[in-house]
Amino acid sequence: SIRQCTGLASAVYLSNSSDSNAATLNGIIEENTLVGSNGYVVSVGNSHFTISKTGMICNNKSNISTIYASPGTVMDLYGSIKNNKSGQCGGIHIDINWSSPVTVNMYTGACITGNSAGDVEASSSPKDRGGAVCCSGNRDSGTVFNMYGGIISGNSSSEGTIFVRKHGEFHMYG
């Protein structure tokens, strides 16, 4: 497991690893504190990242978001993201800044539960953008969250559990 790390940026940073098995989380990332202006527990860019059925990200505190999925990312969620506290997004922040698309797929057995946004004093604005998912895109390239199954439950934020803005997309199939 990766636990009890403290820093200004990310506990795990994955960049430019886009083959289908670039990174798979089978263990636990827990009890980390990331307080910098780019404070994420996991930051993924232009890569393929899988959280397996045994993978869990839990009980972390971050300035921005638990997971940041940036341009060029494909993420497959089969495991758990639970009980994290963040300044902007409690679970997954999917964002694009005029570049490659981002796709996050959530499958049966996965869960995003008990996360909260706005609980950490975020040093950058805006704050509090979704307890479970913030999906923000643009007109040219999209950000997409596909929920094929699983559970999103017990997350909190003043902006709602799922926060979709600026041409982001949320599709629930099961």
Side-chain angles (χ1 to χ4, degrees):
S1 68
I2 298 171
R3 62 187 312 260
Q4 298 179 342
C5 298
T6 302
L8 296 176
S10 303
V12 176
Y13 179 78
L14 179 63
S15 180
N16 294 313
S17 299
S18 57
D19 60 331
S20 63
N21 294 314
T24 301
L25 174 63
N26 291 309
I28 301 171
I29 299 174
E30 65 180 340
E31 300 172 1
N32 298 289
T33 302
L34 295 307
V35 296
S37 60
N38 285 320
Y40 308 102
V41 177
V42 177
S43 180
V44 184
N46 199 35
S47 300
H48 192 141
F49 178 55
T50 301
I51 299 175
S52 75
K53 290 181 181 185
T54 60
M56 183 182 337
I57 300 174
C58 62
N59 304 314
N60 296 286
K61 179 180 174 184
S62 58
N63 192 37
I64 308 296
S65 180
T66 301
I67 298 176
Y68 178 52
S70 63
T73 295
V74 174
M75 183 176 139
D76 295 314
L77 175 60
Y78 298 92
S80 302
I81 301 168
K82 63 182 190 174
N83 303 325
N84 298 288
K85 296 179 186 238
S86 298
Q88 289 187 22
C89 178
I92 304 169
H93 184 188
I94 308 162
D95 194 24
I96 192 164
N97 295 312
W98 308 101
S99 188
S100 313
V102 181
T103 302
V104 175
N105 301 303
M106 182 174 175
Y107 298 98
T108 300
C111 68
I112 302 175
T113 59
N115 300 291
S116 60
D119 287 342
V120 177
E121 182 59 37
S123 62
S124 60
S125 60
K127 299 174 184 166
D128 200 3
R129 288 185 161 179
V133 176
C134 173
C135 190
S136 179
N138 65 53
R139 282 177 259 199
D140 298 321
S141 295
T143 57
V144 180
F145 185 91
N146 295 308
M147 185 175 178
Y148 297 107
I151 296 170
I152 296 176
S153 174
N155 300 284
S156 65
S157 164
S158 65
E159 294 293 332
T161 295
I162 309 292
F163 184 72
V164 181
R165 63 189 289 272
K166 292 186 177 179
H167 306 284
E169 298 177 29
F170 175 80
H171 305 281
M172 185 174 178
Y173 301 102

